[in-house]
Amino acid sequence: MTDSAPRKRRAATSGSYSITMRLHTDTDPAVVGRIATAIASDGGIVTALDVTESRHDRLVIDVTCSATDSEHANEIVADVRTLEGITVHKVSDRTFLLHIGGKIEVHSKVPLRTRDDLSMAYTPGVGRVSLALAEHPEDIPRLTIKGNSVAVVTDGSAVLGLGNIGPGAALPVMEGKCALFKRFADIDAWPICLDTQDTDRIVDVVAAIAPGFGGINLEDIAAPRCFEIEARLRERLDIPVFHDDQHGTAIVVLAALTNALRCIDRELPGVRIVVAGAGAAGTAIVTLLLAAGAQDVVVWDRVGCLCADDDSLPPAMAELAARTNPRRVTGDLRAGLEGADVFIGVSGPGVLEAEWIKDMGPKPIVFALANPDPEIDPAEATRYAAVVASGRSDYPNQINNVLAFPGVFRGLLDARASDVTVEMLLRAAEAIALVVTDEELNASFIIPSVFDEKVPKAVARAIRGTDE
């Protein structure tokens, strides 16, 4: 990049846009510095630089750096190509490399080295176990993987912030979810990607495979179908059904809001809350906030602030409006925010202007949770808000569902629960909030790290309703 070229302001770099360049260079001792300087001038961050081969006339150097997005990574590579004495031999996207062959696999828990091993793990010994389970089906969770297994089910209709991209394209996300289950709660989870978006077929298929699982985690299914699918499966099955996009998000949001309010010395019943987004996550957040004691919640979506007086609302929005907006606020998002204390965004990028935060009450709280691009740049929001949270890992206060779902299912499986209740969700949110001690709590630390081992254990205890 030349000195005269304009440099546009960029978001922080991310490991998810990390590349490794294999460079063939001359033997000039200054070559490493020139490479690092070029990458830094483009806003990239060098995270590793290794000389992998050295000859009298050439060096082979592997340079790993992080960028803000794919376009930025391409710009970095293009500028390195312009450096004299340097040839870009190969560029690898580290995120794609990580996904080669998938992210999960199956391992046997028992040795299979001798004929004796085979005779017990498989035929003929396994037949005795099957006959015993036919007579005593209550023992199935104890004698099979069912007692520690979860099906992660999607139809690919609402994957991350990418939309309806189908079941095959959703598979890497479901694999990742399963890996998180194992890492944070030692639960064996299986990605189930269904090639149908018909509600009846989804319900029938999930019900048909349910005997092999101790719980069902619905994932990335578009609203409003996800509401009906969850409700029908809960009625039909004797194992817990949990839609993480709804309830996992709601748990973590309530936990974070509980601690954000502690920072400004306010309590939930006395604050005004605006929720941007009336989809699955927004609806679940509102439901849990109301159950926790919130009294003044306004929901905004593309049609404006939802109000019970509006007869034109579709059924799902009308039901949400009937439970919210006691002051009958109408109009756009800015109108809804006037005098509000809390903004919770689960909608889309750029819907909140920083200047509007000034119209909110004193010490406003802003949660901009849309992924991958939030409703407002968190750095912009901090100019006016007392507490800011987002779904991003490159800013403080990341609202991440991994704080909830592993512990939730650990508790459900341990308790052999048949259902998920609102009381369980409230206890889980409180458990996450309490992991942050009074000494740790501040505006930049309202939610524990996803790697805090106390979190899934605390959530599992809360779901079980025990202190052990």
Side-chain angles (χ1 to χ4, degrees):
M1 179 177 289
T2 63
D3 292 339
S4 59
R7 286 178 170 85
K8 57 185 179 181
R9 184 180 182 277
R10 293 189 182 275
T13 60
S14 167
S16 62
Y17 294 102
S18 179
I19 58 172
T20 296
M21 293 179 282
R22 171 152 288 189
L23 309 178
H24 292 178
T25 80
D26 57 33
T27 57
D28 181 357
V31 68
V32 170
R34 290 193 287 125
I35 294 167
T37 299
I39 294 172
S41 68
D42 268 337
I45 296 179
V46 176
T47 56
L49 194 152
D50 301 295
V51 178
T52 61
E53 182 183 333
S54 176
R55 301 190 328 209
H56 72 279
D57 61 341
R58 189 184 76 177
L59 298 177
V60 178
I61 302 176
D62 284 348
V63 181
T64 300
C65 62
S66 57
T68 60
D69 52 33
S70 296
E71 179 186 359
H72 185 204
N74 291 337
E75 290 176 8
I76 291 172
V77 174
D79 282 349
V80 170
R81 290 186 192 277
T82 67
L83 298 177
E84 185 177 353
I86 295 174
T87 301
V88 179
H89 178 67
K90 184 178 181 181
V91 180
S92 300
D93 186 313
R94 295 178 66 230
T95 296
F96 277 78
L97 289 176
L98 181 144
H99 284 78
I100 290 176
K103 301 187 293 293
I104 58 176
E105 61 185 1
V106 175
H107 286 284
S108 175
K109 294 170 62 177
V110 298
L112 297 173
R113 295 186 294 263
T114 67
R115 289 181 180 273
D116 262 6
D117 293 340
L118 290 176
S119 69
M120 289 187 290
Y122 196 49
T123 185
V126 71
R128 294 175 51 219
V129 179
S130 293
L131 287 174
L133 294 181
E135 293 185 16
H136 300 283
E138 69 276 8
D139 287 337
I140 293 175
R142 184 172 65 87
L143 292 175
T144 71
I145 196 173
K146 179 183 177 75
N148 195 53
S149 67
V150 170
V152 180
V153 179
T154 189
D155 64 356
S157 60
V159 181
L160 300 177
L162 306 175
N164 188 354
I165 61 175
L171 184 54
V173 182
M174 302 309 116
E175 284 185 5
K177 197 85 171 190
C178 294
L180 295 176
F181 267 114
K182 190 65 176 179
R183 165 63 176 82
F184 293 104
D186 196 26
I187 291 171
D188 298 304
W190 312 85
I192 308 294
C193 299
L194 304 180
D195 191 14
T196 178
Q197 295 182 4
D198 178 82
T199 297
D200 292 337
R201 287 194 67 192
I202 291 173
V203 171
D204 287 342
V205 170
V206 175
I209 66 172
F213 299 96
I216 304 294
N217 184 101
L218 300 176
E219 190 76 20
D220 291 348
I221 299 175
R225 285 185 302 109
C226 60
F227 305 131
E228 181 181 354
I229 291 169
E230 181 190 31
R232 288 172 59 181
L233 285 173
R234 285 189 172 188
E235 183 177 347
R236 190 163 167 177
L237 300 180
D238 61 356
I239 57 174
V241 178
F242 184 85
H243 187 198
D244 187 51
D245 299 315
Q246 293 186 64
H247 309 302
T249 303
I251 289 170
V252 184
V253 166
L254 176 57
L257 182 56
T258 299
N259 283 345
L261 291 172
R262 286 168 61 193
C263 287
I264 64 171
D265 198 25
R266 299 286 299 276
E267 295 185 356
L268 189 61
V271 297
R272 293 182 178 181
I273 302 170
V274 174
V275 175
T283 300
I285 288 168
V286 168
T287 299
L288 202 59
L289 289 175
L290 295 175
Q295 297 180 5
D296 192 330
V297 180
V298 175
V299 181
W300 172 87
D301 205 276
R302 60 186 180 277
V303 299
C305 294
L306 305 190
C307 182
D309 297 333
D310 186 351
D311 296 332
S312 66
L313 294 175
M317 288 187 180
E319 191 275 335
L320 198 53
R323 298 188 287 129
T324 57
N325 200 353
R327 292 177 290 111
R328 297 296 193 265
V329 176
T330 59
D332 59 12
L333 179 57
R334 187 170 191 176
L337 284 172
E338 187 173 350
D341 302 294
V342 178
F343 169 85
I344 300 172
V346 280
S347 51
V351 302
L352 175 62
E353 298 286 342
E355 293 290 319
W356 299 353
I357 301 174
K358 294 193 293 185
D359 298 332
M360 297 174 66
K363 297 182 179 179
I365 295 169
V366 173
F367 288 2
L369 309 181
N371 263 320
D373 300 312
E375 287 79 3
I376 183 173
D377 184 336
E380 289 291 309
T382 55
R383 294 167 53 197
Y384 304 108
V387 183
V388 176
S390 72
R392 298 179 57 133
S393 60
D394 51 352
Y395 288 98
N397 300 329
Q398 184 190 21
I399 307 295
N400 192 322
N401 286 16
V402 75
L403 287 163
F405 70 81
V408 166
F409 271 99
R410 182 73 277 159
L412 292 170
L413 293 172
D414 291 346
R416 298 287 187 259
S418 60
D419 197 8
V420 183
T421 66
V422 172
E423 289 71 22
M424 289 178 177
L425 307 185
L426 292 172
R427 294 199 302 265
E430 181 184 26
I432 294 171
L434 290 176
V435 169
V436 179
T437 65
D438 290 338
E439 291 73 23
E440 296 171 319
L441 180 67
N442 61 68
S444 295
F445 193 77
I446 60 172
I447 202 77
S449 164
V450 296
F451 295 104
D452 190 328
E453 295 182 357
K454 296 189 296 292
V455 175
K457 295 176 183 177
V459 173
R461 288 194 300 269
I463 293 295
R464 294 194 303 266
T466 66
D467 295 328
E468 300 179 359

